[in-house]
Amino acid sequence: MGSRKKVHAYVRVKPTDDFAHEMIKYGDDNKSIDIHFKKDIRKGIVNNQQTDWSFKLDGVLHDASQDLVYETVAKDVVSQALDGYNGTIMCYGQTGAGKTYTMTGATENYQHRGILPRALQQVFRMIEARPTQAVTVRVSYLEIYNESLFDLLSTLPYVGPSVTPMTIVENPQGVFIKGLSVHLTSQEEDAFSLLFEGETNRIIASHTMNKSSSRSHCIFTIYVEAHSRTLSEEKYITSKINLVDLAGSERLGKSGSEGRVLKEATFINKSLSFLEQAIIALVDQKRGHIPFRQCKLTHALKDSLGGNCNMVLVTNIYGEASQLEETLSSLRFASRMKLVTTEPAINEKYDAERMVKNLEKELVLLKQELAIHDSLANRTLVTYEPMDEVQIAEINSQVRRYLEGTLDEIDIINLRQIQEVFNQFRVVLSQQEQEVELALRRKYTLIDKNDFAAISAVQKAGLVDVDGHLVGEPDGQGFGLGVAPFATKPGKKAKTKRTFKDQLRPSTPPSKPVAFEEFKNERGSEINRIFKENKSILNERRKRASETTQRINVIKREIDMTKEALSLQKSLREKQGEYENKGLMIIDEEEFLLILKLKDLKKQYRSEYQDLRDLRAEIQYCQRLVDQCRHRLLMEFDIWYNESFVIPEDMQVALRLGGSIRPGMVPISRIVSLGEDDQDKFSQLQHTVLPEGPDSISFYNAKVKTEQKHNYLKAMMGLQHALRK
């Protein structure tokens, strides 16, 4: 474990024109803040009211820029994350004090971005500077609203809403959220897109203290996994950075909240109260129990609060006299948090694949040492290497000749050869079964006797009678029959299927199921074909996995029976008396055969189990391909359906041949609104911003893409609403 260290606590003061200079004083070292209250004369002459407080912190950020805040608060935490240390940065304070601005910043302006986007940028910059490491970055975005967990990235098309509610689960590795989607990001722009997507889904409300008040606690997590490209060590490091934007505490009398906002404020204050109770318990050395499970917030942050983590707290306060009581409360929380100790340590894990490769190398060296030892002991015929393809082919040939009767016996050389002989017996038997089945299929149509639907269909087609005999085979003299397609039956002309394209545009759009069938046969035929092929492969792999599982169960039962028989033989030998010759135990032939059988069964079990693992990996991969094809098919269908039936008639001129817009190339929002082009806006933005900050390209690219997506969704909802009217 690592060494224990204190939580770093900083205070950021919100700029104001009405700063209380007489009541709030900063220390010369910029690490302390003094609060002075004027005595309430209404309480009389005898007044023991405390009027002065002093708080020692790690830094006071007054009139500090976003750059300075990040350099002071977050840069070291993010830097150490790529070395394997977990990190948490939390913003706490009164509503409207600037927590969200500190954490996220103004997404419209690159210079005013907050800790979160700067942390993403630093992570990818550090990855570029470490060419000897293969680093993987994943992100997730959790929202805790009214004591319920929500995935802010569930609106992405390839995620979708969760059927079961998310839960907080603990295991020896720590705390994680079951059901929360985690997204792989290979570049900076992708990470920004996920951030902006989550930001648009956050719940906000307006009250007298804040026009855009966050009504939920949000945790953006960056997961880092780093492998060495140069060393062959199986160890690799993992870490995660929790960036926590807490909802602000409220005094209901000042905020004037009511209705839904009042209910939200109650949940927020309650969870923040539980957070403070957990901090007090962590500071108290005599407390054996820490109440982490009192609310979802403290439970989700259990690893960060006093665990394996570099913890930093940013307390946001007002500098106005009217908010001095809330400011004092926030500073008390910061001073308590500063007393909490954490124990950060490097998170090292082991790569199973590399470990196997290293063990294989060690195995080769040990075999070479054994070969030298056997050579010195004149044991030249002993081999420890597995059989090569030539030896296996020779054994296969011997087995075939033995079954055909041209070979009387197979010479026994060693245990590996015995096992391979039995294995080749099984291979030859399986090949012969397949050859017989293939020959039958070439000559006959094979139908499962238990498949009543297939039998009924063949009887209706007139190919077999009720007794199951082929029609047209009197006295055993048969003739070839084929099943003609329904479209080519005699006496009927094939009908030409009219598509929606061949018809005039209907006054009312067709139902989506009907249109979807038409789409699969026309524009989406290629995607549908790939989807069916992938699904067929997936079903075939699932069938093979089921068969392999059944074989494994059979082998397992045989192993258990063989072990019982071997145990019985050993007990009989012990009762009858054991015989030894030169220190070696003598066993009878039956027990020896049982031992050989048990070894062979275990080898089969391992082989089948490895096949099952490979099949499961293939099934997972095929399932992902099927899901991607399904999503692509549905997305293309939505575009085709909207362009064909939803866009108003007067807009179709732009989509005709020779027009400036081609179907499928431009979002509907562009066609309907006919407003300023987003690309033009982005180009103008680049001209004004890039001379000052060329690193902002990824930031603005992600911002524009997110806005385009949401504008498209809004336009689609507006069109559907207009059509329903």
Side-chain angles (χ1 to χ4, degrees), residues 125-297:
R125 293 290 185 272
M126 293 182 66
I127 291 174
E128 292 176 359
R130 299 189 180 195
T132 60
Q133 286 186 326
V135 184
T136 304
V137 180
R138 294 178 174 85
V139 300
S140 65
Y141 211 165
L142 172 69
E143 180 181 51
I144 305 175
Y145 173 71
N146 289 356
E147 278 302 291
S148 297
L149 304 176
F150 296 95
D151 186 357
L152 289 176
L153 300 178
S154 63
T155 55
L156 294 170
Y158 54 87
V159 179
S162 177
V163 179
T164 57
M166 292 190 295
T167 55
I168 302 174
V169 181
E170 293 187 42
N171 60 20
Q173 285 72 39
V175 177
F176 71 97
I177 312 299
K178 185 177 181 181
L180 180 65
S181 61
V182 180
H183 305 262
L184 178 66
T185 57
S186 57
Q187 55 186 355
E188 188 178 315
E189 184 177 326
D190 295 339
F192 283 141
S193 296
L194 293 171
L195 168 62
F196 296 144
E197 177 71 24
E199 285 297 311
T200 57
N201 297 325
R202 289 188 64 173
I203 297 175
I204 60 174
S206 176
H207 53 71
T208 56
M209 298 290 294
N210 191 356
K211 292 182 179 180
S212 300
S213 175
S214 301
R215 311 310 295 166
S216 60
H217 309 297
C218 291
I219 305 174
F220 189 94
T221 306
I222 306 172
Y223 306 88
V224 180
E225 183 177 305
H227 297 256
S228 174
R229 296 182 188 271
T230 56
L231 301 177
S232 60
E233 294 181 354
E234 58 268 13
K235 286 194 299 185
Y236 66 97
I237 58 174
T238 62
S239 62
K240 63 179 181 179
I241 309 170
N242 289 321
L243 300 163
V244 187
D245 182 13
L246 298 176
S249 59
E250 297 181 19
R251 292 213 173 186
L252 303 181
K254 289 186 177 182
S255 63
S257 301
E258 57 184 15
R260 179 179 65 85
V261 181
L262 175 61
K263 180 182 177 182
E264 293 168 347
T266 304
F267 275 104
I268 292 170
N269 290 339
K270 184 178 179 182
S271 61
L272 292 176
S273 175
F274 286 142
L275 174 62
E276 190 162 3
Q277 290 178 21
I279 299 303
I280 293 172
L282 284 168
V283 174
D284 188 357
Q285 300 289 339
K286 298 179 181 179
R287 290 285 292 269
H289 170 70
I290 311 299
F292 285 118
R293 298 195 180 190
Q294 283 186 322
C295 68
K296 297 287 194 334
L297 175 63

Side-chain angles (χ1 to χ4, degrees), residues 236 527 575 720:
Y236 66 97
I527 304 176
K575 290 180 180 179
Q720 292 174 0

Side-chain angles (χ1 to χ4, degrees), residues 290-334:
I290 311 299
F292 285 118
R293 298 195 180 190
Q294 283 186 322
C295 68
K296 297 287 194 334
L297 175 63
T298 54
H299 198 184
L301 295 176
K302 181 179 179 181
D303 288 343
S304 302
L305 302 173
N308 173 20
C309 182
N310 286 317
M311 178 74 181
V312 176
L313 174 72
V314 180
T315 304
N316 296 86
I317 63 173
Y318 279 95
E320 300 172 358
S322 59
Q323 309 295 335
L324 207 56
E325 291 185 8
E326 290 79 5
T327 296
L328 186 60
S329 176
S330 298
L331 291 172
R332 285 185 182 131
F333 180 85

Side-chain angles (χ1 to χ4, degrees), residues 309-444:
C309 182
N310 286 317
M311 178 74 181
V312 176
L313 174 72
V314 180
T315 304
N316 296 86
I317 63 173
Y318 279 95
E320 300 172 358
S322 59
Q323 309 295 335
L324 207 56
E325 291 185 8
E326 290 79 5
T327 296
L328 186 60
S329 176
S330 298
L331 291 172
R332 285 185 182 131
F333 180 85
S335 63
R336 292 191 186 104
M337 180 65 84
K338 196 177 184 309
L339 298 176
V340 175
T341 57
T342 61
E343 197 168 355
I346 297 177
N347 300 291
E348 292 182 339
K349 294 185 178 180
Y350 290 87
D351 188 341
E353 185 177 351
R354 286 195 178 184
M355 189 181 295
V356 169
K357 289 182 180 179
N358 291 340
L359 290 174
E360 287 175 347
K361 290 181 181 179
E362 187 176 354
L363 184 61
V364 170
L365 293 174
L366 291 174
K367 285 181 178 180
Q368 291 174 352
E369 290 184 8
L370 281 173
I372 295 173
H373 176 75
D374 292 335
S375 177
L376 294 174
N378 294 323
R379 298 168 60 190
T380 56
L381 295 178
V382 180
T383 176
Y384 300 99
E385 296 294 332
M387 293 190 172
D388 56 22
E389 295 181 358
V390 176
Q391 292 172 322
I392 293 174
E394 175 61 27
I395 293 176
N396 183 276
S397 175
Q398 292 177 359
V399 169
R400 289 183 181 275
R401 284 184 287 150
Y402 180 80
L403 292 174
E404 293 169 356
T406 58
L407 183 65
D408 295 332
E409 59 183 18
I410 299 175
D411 295 330
I412 301 300
I413 299 176
N414 54 32
L415 183 59
R416 285 184 184 272
Q417 189 245 8
I418 295 174
Q419 293 174 339
E420 191 58 42
V421 166
F422 281 106
N423 186 43
Q424 290 304 316
F425 267 111
R426 184 173 56 193
V427 171
V428 171
L429 178 62
S430 176
Q431 290 175 349
Q432 290 178 349
E433 289 177 350
Q434 293 176 3
E435 290 172 0
V436 171
E437 183 179 351
L438 183 61
L440 290 173
R441 287 188 180 277
R442 286 174 181 170
K443 192 173 182 181
Y444 306 102

